[in-house]
Amino acid sequence: AASDTMTPGAPPLRVVPAAPPLAQPFNLHDVRLLDGEFKAGQDIAAKYLLSIETDRLLCGFRVEAGLPPKGKNYGGWESQSIAGHSLGHYLSGCSLAWASTGDPRFLERVNYIVAELAECQRAGGDGYLAAFAGGRKAFAEVAAGNIRSSGFDLNGLWVPNYTEHKVFAGLRDAYRLADNTNALQVARGLADWFEKTLSGLNEEQMQKVLACEHGGMNEVLADLYADTGDPRYLMLSRRFHHKAILDPLARGEDVLPGKHANTQISKLVGLATRYELTGAQDDRAAAEFFWDRVVHHHTYVTGGNSDGEHFGPADRLNSRLSEKTTETCNVNNMLKLTEHVFGWTQSAVTADFYERALLNQIRSTQHPDGRVMYYLSLKPGHHKDYQRPYDDWTCCVGTGMENHVKYGAGIYYHSDDALWLNLFIASEVNWKERGVALRQETAWPESDHSTLMIRTGRPQYFALRIRHPHWADRLIVRVNGQLASDTTSPSSYAVIRRDWKDGDKIELRFPMSLRTETMPDNANRVAVFYGPTLLAADLGQIENPAASQPGFVPVLVTDRRPVTEWVKSVSLERQTFRTVGAGKPHDVELVPLHKLHDRRYTVFLDQFTAPDWARHEAELRAEEARQAALEARTVDVFQPGEMQLERDHHVLGDKSDPGDYLGRKFRHAWDGGWFSFQMKVDPVVTNQLLCVWWGEETGPREFDILVDNAKIASQKLGRNQPGQFWDATYAIPNELTRGKASVMVKLQAQPGNYAGGLFGCRVLRQQ
């Protein structure tokens, strides 16, 4: 009876997995959300998806195929050489929304998009399918062995393999979730084209291709192998194996500091996928090690990771709090990886992380009007910066199309004889293989209890495994009114084995309490939680959303007392609290981060003793004055090593790449190389160039600094200021800026020398 209203599951795999996970996720068709926090988010996302004009996202594909477009292409990233990635995400989003809601409008869109892509592919005649201009020319150069990349570009195109991964993923989801067999054929045609294009490259050349961000190409090609049984696609997946990153991870080496975070996460999702299909132990070893390092050594209290898109040193997060922390794409991919790892380990610790990231990161990134965000800022005193819904089209708008219509993932898992309950989200699941349905009614995360109801046509014996979350001191389980379990410990499972009958009722209590979590490298900086929910200090209305400078952030003078002594409830129903007699210069209200919008906030508060606070306040005022004076003189600011800012400033170079050191991003050039970038200037006053250097550089680092190809200074770096970063200011002659809006700044290394690393740059008006 439970399966009457549910659609069939995914098409069967054509490959028998060699290492299938013991705990299997349910198909999204078999899970339905009930009214509550997550259903509300799903409804908002579904409305946004239906507002998007499909033909506008398809425009570039038709143009590149020589067909007349049916709609004008969107702007932003969709008008640049990463065009098409949004269509891939949109196809996945509509496939997920169809599976999660059963709304036939999403199925219609999936089928329409796939038919359009198939028409574009037929017009091209060789399987190629892309929306970005110049793709055939660039890939022809690559096929001939002429491979050029600075990390985020390949032969003049912005991450083309990354974009193609999104198209592949959309086609896979259309096939697996919407039963569109045409999508499988289109994916095969594109994969055959890739196989032919890359066939002449040797391993060294292929690794040069992989130096450019390429998403999870290894994942989607392994999935295509599973869906078709064609071993050529498994071989092609293995060609997209980036040795410089994946081989050290398989050996247990943490090579993450300084690396672009999301570039790596997708690769490990691919290895996890491939391991389950082939049983290759190195693939699993790399994926598990990576998951452990990211979650336990590179992750903030939200469940997000990275600052400015990059990993920093392990367990050093305190100084990496900016408006560009915790990129949303990273968490989207970490949750995918977590599903694999949980399937292998059935660890409650793994499920704890999934819950943390889903509630405190993903739910926090959706505005009630449907907008989503690139970064969830953890900069104290900053605010959430939402993206425009139809103009930005960034990678995180793309994953945002998917995040909020797949909340049914991760709640339940199953094996032949067990059902796992991992998340307390109001929902119901249909376990078709057993003819069992389970309905979960709860107001979590606002409530500390949940009620489960079993529906089955006949008594069934299986184990119900209920996660005892890390934040709850106790988990109390009653079955039909009788106590069944109350002795488990946090981060474990209560296991109830019995013959389950139709109408059985399971009542759960997981009492919530206030607690704090500290920075791994600063015990005096705390975040406050109530149960699973991260609380943010509400710092008031945003006066100027465009301003990057935060408002003043109170601190806590607690003398290390327990949190329950200086935080009191305002409304448990709304999970609202307030500090009492601890905030300086005033107490603050604490509210769930995932519910806070259009306000300044901080999730981190610094604790002091009274004498320490008096000293710190004086230092803080002096630094604020210095920064304010610097900002007042700033014409333009550039942060090397950040992908979007490098594109905005038109970075070019030879023998140059970005990096990260001591949690700060930089760019340098080596062996006589160079790099350049555009900077705005004031055309009517004298300008200065301020550069940030590391004061303890090693190796030969002599280089010239040029403005519009005129040398303004020479610089030699070494032990200029040991142990600290330092600023150097260079005069820019007026004749180089007079009447100009911008100039090109270039760092040119001497032969055999490095230029940089440059850790930051500003153009200032001379005082």
Side-chain angles (χ1 to χ4, degrees):
S3 63
D4 290 345
T5 60
M6 297 292 186
T7 55
L13 299 182
R14 297 299 180 90
V15 173
V16 177
L22 175 62
Q24 296 275 353
F26 280 91
N27 189 293
L28 279 176
H29 283 289
D30 298 329
V31 181
R32 287 290 180 265
L33 299 185
L34 305 177
D35 288 345
E37 172 70 27
F38 291 85
K39 176 65 162 53
Q42 178 179 275
D43 291 346
I44 291 168
K47 181 179 179 181
Y48 168 65
L49 287 175
L50 291 172
S51 75
I52 291 172
E53 298 178 55
T54 304
D55 282 325
R56 295 188 68 180
L57 288 180
L58 284 162
C59 173
F61 290 94
R62 293 187 63 88
V63 169
E64 291 305 305
L67 300 172
K70 297 180 179 180
K72 185 181 185 300
N73 66 297
Y74 282 109
W77 283 19
E78 279 303 304
S79 64
Q80 303 178 44
S81 65
I82 196 172
H85 82 108
S86 299
L87 185 279
H89 282 297
Y90 185 68
L91 182 53
S92 289
C94 288
S95 301
L96 291 162
W98 157 243
S100 295
T101 70
D103 186 333
R105 292 176 293 179
F106 292 112
L107 182 60
E108 292 170 6
R109 294 199 174 207
V110 169
N111 291 337
Y112 177 76
I113 292 169
V114 173
E116 286 287 302
L117 293 178
E119 182 182 357
C120 293
Q121 194 175 58
R122 284 193 300 271
D126 59 357
Y128 178 73
L129 186 66
F132 45 81
R136 287 188 179 277
K137 177 178 180 293
F139 278 115
E141 293 174 350
V142 169
N146 176 13
I147 303 163
R148 308 183 304 277
S149 176
S150 296
F152 298 117
D153 64 291
L154 183 64
N155 288 58
L157 294 179
W158 185 2
V159 293
N161 288 322
Y162 168 96
T163 300
E164 293 293 76
H165 162 243
K166 309 311 171 194
V167 176
F168 270 119
L171 292 166
R172 174 203 60 200
D173 294 339
Y175 171 66
R176 290 186 171 184
L177 294 172
D179 296 316
N180 189 306
T181 56
N182 199 18
L184 184 63
Q185 297 311 310
V186 175
R188 292 194 72 156
L190 183 55
D192 292 346
W193 179 87
F194 264 102
E195 181 188 40
K196 181 178 179 180
T197 299
L198 302 175
S199 62
L201 301 185
N202 60 33
E203 185 61 24
E204 180 181 358
Q205 291 170 319
M206 192 66 199
Q207 292 301 310
K208 288 180 67 176
V209 172
L210 299 183
C212 177
E213 185 178 13
H214 51 276
M217 284 291 285
N218 56 355
E219 174 206 8
V220 291
L221 291 167
D223 282 334
L224 189 58
Y225 160 65
D227 289 335
T228 64
D230 192 332
R232 293 182 301 125
Y233 303 134
L234 177 61
M235 294 175 63
L236 193 55
S237 169
R238 287 176 170 147
R239 295 214 71 189
F240 281 90
H241 183 88
H242 191 199
K243 292 181 177 180
I245 298 295
L246 301 178
D247 288 358
L249 291 173
R251 296 192 297 266
E253 300 172 16
D254 185 352
V255 294
L256 302 182
K259 301 298 190 298
H260 187 257
N262 196 44
T263 295
Q264 320 314 329
I265 303 171
S266 297
K267 300 170 189 174
L268 278 302
V269 175
L271 291 199
T273 301
R274 211 164 61 199
Y275 160 71
E276 292 173 6
L277 292 171
T278 68
Q281 288 298 319
D282 280 355
D283 286 347
R284 172 170 174 169
E288 281 193 297
F289 177 74
F290 178 87
W291 186 91
D292 176 75
R293 293 303 296 178
V294 172
V295 170
H296 296 129
H297 303 281
H298 295 278
T299 292
Y300 296 88
V301 291
T302 59
N305 62 73
S306 83
D307 183 29
E309 302 190 8
H310 287 70
F311 291 121
D315 301 310
R316 295 180 64 177
L317 303 177
N318 189 65
S319 62
R320 293 171 54 81
L321 296 175
S322 76
E323 63 269 25
K324 293 181 173 62
T325 46
T326 62
E327 182 186 355
T328 307
C329 281
N330 299 15
V331 185
N332 171 281
N333 282 313
M334 280 301 297
L335 292 182
K336 293 177 184 176
L337 182 58
T338 301
E339 288 189 64
H340 287 283
V341 175
F342 177 79
W344 306 337
T345 64
Q346 303 89 55
S347 165
V349 172
T350 310
D352 284 339
F353 167 75
Y354 195 104
E355 176 190 76
R356 176 192 294 269
L358 189 72
L359 174 62
N360 297 307
Q361 180 80 25
I362 297 299
R363 276 307 297 135
S364 293
T365 61
Q366 184 193 48
H367 193 279
D369 65 12
R371 287 175 294 155
V372 295
M373 63 181 63
Y374 200 129
Y375 305 103
L376 177 59
S377 172
L378 295 181
K379 184 176 184 176
H382 203 246
H383 56 87
K384 295 180 180 180
D385 187 8
Y386 293 95
Q387 306 226 263
R388 296 169 298 176
Y390 309 112
D391 298 307
D392 287 330
W393 301 112
T394 65
C395 51
C396 295
V397 169
T399 51
M401 295 184 205
E402 305 174 25
N403 284 330
H404 309 287
V405 290
K406 62 174 186 177
Y407 285 135
I411 304 175
Y412 308 100
Y413 291 78
H414 68 93
S415 65
D416 290 342
D417 61 354
L419 177 65
W420 281 264
L421 170 59
N422 274 1
L423 303 177
F424 307 108
I425 294 176
S427 57
E428 54 185 354
V429 61
N430 177 26
W431 191 2
K432 291 185 299 188
E433 295 83 355
R434 297 293 296 263
V436 173
L438 183 146
R439 181 180 178 91
Q440 178 174 199
E441 296 182 350
T442 179
W444 186 92
E446 285 80 17
S447 170
D448 66 354
H449 59 273
S450 180
T451 300
L452 315 176
M453 294 292 295
I454 298 285
R455 287 187 292 133
T456 178
R458 58 182 176 82
Q460 301 247 20
Y461 183 86
F462 60 87
L464 179 59
R465 299 176 177 270
I466 303 166
R467 181 175 64 95
H468 182 161
H470 72 98
W471 43 263
D473 290 337
R474 297 183 68 197
L475 172 65
I476 304 161
V477 183
R478 286 185 168 85
V479 177
N480 298 328
Q482 299 298 311
L483 183 65
S485 175
D486 68 347
T487 59
T488 55
S489 57
S491 297
S492 69
Y493 282 91
V495 183
I496 314 298
R497 295 182 176 90
R498 58 179 281 142
D499 282 312
W500 296 98
K501 300 178 180 63
D502 190 62
D504 279 344
K505 180 179 179 181
I506 305 101
E507 296 170 288
L508 311 178
R509 282 291 308 277
F510 27 79
M512 298 179 183
S513 59
L514 288 163
R515 59 190 176 85
T516 60
E517 293 185 10
T518 63
M519 275 289 189
D521 51 337
N522 184 357
N524 293 322
R525 177 165 283 175
V526 300
V528 182
F529 286 79
Y530 182 67
T533 303
L534 175 61
L535 303 176
D538 184 346
L539 302 181
Q541 194 68 34
I542 304 171
E543 298 82 9
N544 179 9
S548 60
Q549 283 298 101
F552 185 73
V553 179
V555 301
L556 303 172
V557 179
T558 66
D559 292 318
R560 310 297 186 271
R561 290 176 293 147
V563 62
T564 52
E565 294 187 16
W566 47 268
V567 173
K568 301 299 179 183
S569 170
V570 175
S571 168
L572 281 180
E573 182 180 353
R574 294 186 293 112
Q575 292 191 331
T576 303
F577 301 83
R578 187 171 183 84
T579 62
V580 178
K584 298 293 181 181
H586 53 75
D587 284 307
V588 290
E589 192 166 88
L590 302 172
V591 300
L593 177 63
H594 68 265
K595 288 184 173 294
L596 186 67
H597 307 284
D598 306 317
R599 310 277 290 178
R600 291 194 179 274
Y601 65 88
T602 183
V603 300
F604 291 108
L605 291 161
D606 290 332
Q607 294 188 104
F608 291 89
T609 62
D612 287 343
W613 165 239
R615 288 190 294 270
H616 181 76
E617 186 176 27
E619 296 169 357
L620 183 65
R621 298 298 185 191
E623 177 59 20
E624 283 181 343
R626 190 187 76 84
Q627 285 293 333
L630 194 64
E631 290 290 338
R633 296 172 54 205
T634 296
V635 180
D636 196 9
V637 61
F638 169 52
Q639 176 56 63
E642 287 193 7
M643 179 176 68
Q644 188 58 44
L645 290 179
E646 290 208 344
R647 293 191 65 82
D648 292 343
H649 289 265
H650 307 290
V651 171
L652 299 172
D654 180 53
K655 298 181 181 178
S656 174
D657 61 12
D660 187 294
Y661 184 68
L662 293 180
R664 298 182 64 165
K665 291 169 288 301
F666 68 87
R667 178 171 280 276
H668 66 183
W670 65 89
D671 193 22
W674 60 273
F675 63 93
S676 66
F677 48 94
Q678 294 289 128
M679 295 290 284
K680 297 175 185 176
V681 294
D682 189 322
V684 298
V685 303
T686 300
N687 293 262
Q688 296 175 310
L689 188 72
L690 182 148
C691 296
V692 182
W693 315 113
W694 169 237
E696 205 165 346
E697 293 283 15
T698 58
R701 295 181 183 269
E702 293 190 46
F703 53 93
D704 295 330
I705 302 173
L706 301 92
V707 171
D708 280 350
N709 293 315
K711 185 170 78 171
I712 65 167
S714 294
Q715 180 66 59
K716 180 177 181 179
L717 299 179
R719 294 180 57 81
N720 305 72
Q721 294 192 30
Q724 60 184 319
F725 292 94
W726 62 287
D727 299 346
T729 304
Y730 310 92
I732 303 177
N734 288 345
E735 58 266 24
L736 297 178
T737 61
R738 189 176 297 117
K740 297 180 181 179
S742 65
V743 297
M744 180 188 72
V745 178
K746 183 177 182 180
L747 273 63
Q748 172 68 63
Q750 299 294 334
N753 276 256
Y754 285 85
L758 178 66
F759 285 84
C761 187
R762 291 175 184 261
V763 169
L764 304 174
R765 297 176 184 88
Q766 183 171 295
Q767 286 180 310

